Amino acid sequence: MAGKQQSRKSPPARRMRGFERTAGLIQPQLRNAGEKRGFAVARLLTHWTDIVGEETARIAQPVKVSYGREGFGATLTLLTTGAHAPMLQADLPKIRERVNACYGYSAISRIRVTQTAPTGFAEGQAAFAPAPKTAGAAEPTPEVQRQAAATAAGVEDDNLRQALEALAQNVLSRDRK
């Protein structure tokens, strides 16, 4: 075997039969988009509210992670409005601690705050809070709520059961229209 070299090929792409999870289909594209901005851990973007708290997430959002030349001591760039910047500046040690807990090690050594106007430039608009619910959205009827609860009744996990009930209510309400 000394004269022969074994070539390492990646295994061929597995062909799926039937349904494939959506997360599996879009994960490579999401990872590439996140890595272009320096986000090695996508959880920082997807669970930002859980990581830093609702109050901080309402006034700031992560924009970019810049790594130093040695790879340690990255800088997290947060986007906020000018009025919220002083409050955010006071919370930076707490934010850094929580973000590093997300990474599992002390990955972020600095946090840079970037300010923008709440309205104005197309790229720089800072809309941190979700849009309010429209007034036309009606509450599901008690009958729809009972049907949704019956649909998800067999699920033991509370969070999953609540999510399935909400989904069932949306689907059943949509059928009424």
Side-chain angles (χ1 to χ4, degrees):
M1 214 176 196
K4 293 183 180 180
Q5 292 181 351
Q6 290 185 355
S7 63
R8 291 190 149 196
K9 293 183 182 178
S10 60
R14 183 174 165 241
R15 295 181 66 169
M16 298 292 295
R17 293 180 191 218
F19 293 105
E20 189 171 350
R21 293 178 54 195
T22 305
L25 295 172
I26 63 171
Q27 187 174 10
Q29 289 84 3
L30 288 176
R31 181 178 295 131
N32 289 339
E35 287 175 353
K36 285 181 183 176
R37 291 278 190 171
F39 292 103
V41 177
R43 185 174 188 269
L44 186 64
L45 294 171
T46 59
H47 294 84
W48 178 246
T49 305
D50 297 334
I51 294 168
V52 296
E54 192 171 317
E55 185 177 318
T56 302
R58 195 174 20 254
I59 64 171
Q61 71 184 91
V63 176
K64 181 177 157 184
V65 175
S66 306
Y67 294 94
R69 292 183 184 177
E70 293 84 31
F72 291 104
T75 301
L76 172 64
T77 303
L78 296 178
L79 178 67
T80 189
T81 60
H84 294 295
M87 292 186 308
L88 190 64
Q89 197 73 31
D91 287 342
L92 288 184
K94 178 181 76 170
I95 294 169
R96 182 175 43 245
E97 180 181 310
R98 289 181 174 187
V99 168
N100 283 334
C102 172
Y103 275 92
Y105 67 99
S106 186
I108 305 296
S109 64
R110 280 190 52 218
I111 298 179
R112 194 177 92 200
V113 177
T114 301
Q115 301 174 17
T116 186
T119 59
F121 302 106
E123 287 287 321
Q125 290 182 356
F128 301 116
K133 291 187 176 182
T134 59
E139 281 288 317
T141 63
E143 177 186 335
V144 169
Q145 290 177 350
R146 279 193 299 274
Q147 287 178 339
T151 301
V155 179
E156 293 178 13
D157 184 7
D158 291 336
N159 292 333
L160 180 58
R161 184 176 53 253
Q162 290 171 357
L164 288 173
E165 282 181 26
L167 176 63
Q169 285 179 8
N170 288 338
V171 170
L172 292 170
S173 296
R174 203 171 285 154
D175 289 345
R176 272 190 312 151
K177 298 174 185 174

